[in-house]
Amino acid sequence: MRINRLAAATAVVATLALTATACGGGSSTGGSGDNSSPKTLTYWASNQGTSLENDKQVLEPELRKFEQQTGIKVKLEVIPWSDLLNRILAATTSGQGPDVLNIGNTWSASLQATGALLPFDEATFGKIGGKDRFLPATIASAGAAGKDPAAVPLYSMAYGLYYNKKMFQAAGIERPPATWDELVADGQKLTKDGKYGIAVEGGNVSENVHHAFTLGKQHGADWFDASGKPAFDTPEAVAAIKQYVDLIAKDKIAAPGNAEYANNQTLTDFATGKVGMMMWQSAGANLKSHGMNPDDYGVAPVPVPAGASGTKLTSSMVAGINLAVFKNTKNLNGALDFVKFMTGKDEQIQLNKTYGSIPPVKDAQGDAAFATPELQALSKVLGSSAQPLPQVADESQYETLVGTAVKNLLAAAAAGKPVTDESVKAELTKAQQQMPAN
């Protein structure tokens, strides 16, 4: 369920022109916050649970705790991912927004560019307990480099390589692959009798761009140059995308039908033993809902190139949800108290345990709830080998354009058309040419 919601979030970004951003333009809200309404707050929460009603059942008892501690009543609205960005953009334009809100962390720089969110400078971080409480990788996904973050991390996730232990044993594979050469070799051993080595969610734009980003980092692609201009069709980016598409086109360890997967079919195939591997975020709860026992699968870092070092060891993008404050809130002190409460150790344990995510707050990660083999593996990835997507104002356009380019290439591979360096470069050049001119 979580991947579907994150995919929906990115899909919304993909279809909207961030008119408020206007090449990094300033705020349209006018003015800044005050404390004229000190006893109330409005909070827009994203849909993290199985339904909007489920989120209310999870959050309302926690909000009552906050009210008992502070005397501040919080009006909660849970907004589906399909509507959330529309609502936020309308609020940045009108200035009529909530006091506190959840945002997808990949939106951070784009929303930061509107000027509508409160910057978390050193003094502001001091009011919520300090910046050092958070994992550095999660802070890096909260706004553009060199600027004060526009939000703070609330729920975190990372990609891992999930592998079916029984299928590995039957194929004589002793351990999960650590390099891409090993993954292809293992995948070929697993691909037989109507089953495949790995599944990819090829019709899902957000999944495509997440893997394009990770493989790009492994090949040395940055996607944007030092001045913030797109650099989508570099040799490094071409090599990364071709490697991913070749899982269908050349290596043939993913089924051609995967090019159309867009509704979590990857999860279903993995849980039902149709494939031996998948690259996914925090999949445990979904796999359990499909009847797969946690003892039947393992989780390892997504493979890297043999001999890789530095940023080429990147094995995931930093996934998750951030918590932001509208700059023109009428309860600035209360809003920061609420952020401090929601990112406190006790709430981080409670909420991330409920939602199956990873606490971005360091001292919450030691709780037994996060000691499962799956979450320990993903926590290690998040803390050591995950990188944030490009924190630039045009990041949302990058997501949709590059993700769609990969979708087109996977569809071509599935149809039996040759996928060459030249055809990959042509798709990426087309994507780059559609980026906004600043």
Side-chain angles (χ1 to χ4, degrees):
M1 294 292 291
R2 180 171 301 102
I3 295 298
N4 231 2
R5 289 193 295 275
L6 291 175
T10 305
V12 175
V13 180
T15 57
L16 289 172
L18 290 182
T19 53
T21 300
C23 299
S27 170
S28 57
T29 61
S32 58
D34 57 40
N35 290 293
S36 57
S37 298
K39 293 299 182 181
T40 60
L41 286 173
T42 54
Y43 173 40
W44 286 359
S46 52
N47 178 203
Q48 301 301 123
T50 57
S51 66
L52 301 185
E53 188 57 37
N54 172 249
D55 280 312
K56 292 177 183 177
Q57 293 171 358
V58 169
L59 292 171
E60 284 176 347
E62 308 311 309
L63 302 185
R64 286 196 291 271
K65 291 180 189 177
F66 177 73
E67 182 178 1
Q68 290 168 0
Q69 292 177 17
T70 64
I72 299 172
K73 185 173 179 60
V74 180
K75 180 181 178 182
L76 170 68
E77 183 176 359
V78 183
I79 301 176
W81 281 108
S82 56
D83 297 336
L84 184 57
L85 188 59
N86 275 319
R87 294 281 300 276
I88 295 172
L89 290 174
T92 64
T93 301
S94 68
Q96 303 301 311
D99 298 290
V100 187
L101 68 159
N102 290 4
I103 65 173
N105 70 349
T106 64
W107 304 346
S108 295
S110 293
L111 293 177
Q112 181 182 50
T114 70
L117 302 182
L118 179 73
F120 278 80
D121 57 18
E122 184 176 351
T124 305
F125 265 115
K127 294 177 181 178
I128 66 163
K131 185 177 182 178
D132 292 342
R133 295 191 300 120
F134 301 93
L135 289 174
T138 65
I139 289 292
S141 67
K147 295 184 179 181
D148 293 322
V152 297
L154 183 62
Y155 311 123
S156 293
M157 287 160 273
Y159 278 87
L161 178 72
Y162 288 72
Y163 61 97
N164 185 307
K165 292 180 180 179
K166 293 179 181 178
M167 291 179 69
F168 267 51
Q169 184 178 18
I173 304 170
E174 297 181 354
R175 61 184 184 275
T179 69
W180 284 104
D181 289 342
E182 292 175 356
L183 182 140
V184 172
D186 290 346
Q188 290 170 343
K189 292 178 183 177
L190 294 162
T191 301
K192 59 183 179 180
D193 302 327
K195 298 180 180 181
Y196 281 85
I198 194 168
V200 297
E201 199 85 353
N204 186 316
V205 170
S206 63
E207 284 294 299
N208 288 340
V209 79
H210 293 168
H211 297 307
F213 169 77
T214 297
L215 284 166
K217 297 299 285 186
Q218 293 183 4
H219 282 268
D222 287 326
W223 300 105
F224 291 84
D225 65 20
S227 67
K229 293 182 179 179
F232 297 169
D233 57 358
T234 64
E236 294 83 5
V238 168
I241 301 303
K242 188 172 188 302
Q243 178 184 338
Y244 187 64
V245 175
D246 274 346
L247 295 174
I248 291 177
K250 176 185 174 184
D251 306 320
K252 301 185 185 302
I253 61 173
N258 286 185
E260 299 180 4
Y261 279 12
N263 294 299
N264 292 357
Q265 292 99 320
T266 292
L267 279 166
T268 304
D269 283 2
F270 183 78
T272 55
K274 294 180 180 179
V275 297
M277 295 178 283
M278 68 174 185
M279 296 177 290
W280 211 261
Q281 303 173 35
S282 306
N286 278 302
L287 296 176
K288 184 177 180 179
S289 72
H290 284 84
M292 192 175 197
N293 190 307
D295 293 335
D296 292 339
Y297 63 86
V299 184
V302 169
V304 297
S309 61
T311 57
K312 292 186 178 182
L313 289 170
T314 300
S315 64
S316 176
M317 48 83 73
V318 177
I321 312 303
N322 288 348
L323 190 62
V325 174
F326 251 79
K327 185 185 287 186
N328 64 343
T329 172
K330 300 304 180 184
N331 189 357
L332 179 58
N333 290 341
L336 293 175
D337 286 342
F338 183 68
V339 172
K340 183 177 182 179
F341 172 80
M342 293 289 281
T343 61
K345 179 180 177 180
D346 290 346
E347 285 304 306
Q348 281 287 290
I349 292 171
Q350 176 65 28
L351 293 172
N352 282 281
K353 178 172 63 176
T354 300
Y355 290 132
S357 47
I358 302 167
V361 173
K362 298 173 187 174
D363 63 356
Q365 291 193 349
D367 188 82
F370 310 107
T372 65
E374 177 196 17
L375 290 181
Q376 284 187 325
L378 297 178
S379 293
K380 185 175 180 181
V381 167
L382 188 62
S384 63
S385 60
Q387 296 285 336
L389 265 70
Q391 293 295 301
V392 297
D394 292 333
E395 191 279 334
S396 56
Q397 290 92 333
Y398 154 74
E399 286 194 37
T400 186
L401 292 171
V402 171
T404 300
V406 176
K407 177 182 176 180
N408 293 340
L409 289 163
L410 286 167
K417 298 178 181 178
V419 177
T420 64
D421 288 349
E422 290 73 22
S423 64
V424 173
K425 181 178 174 64
E427 278 290 338
L428 292 176
T429 298
K430 182 170 69 174
Q432 181 170 307
Q433 290 172 342
Q434 294 177 68
M435 285 291 287
N438 285 317

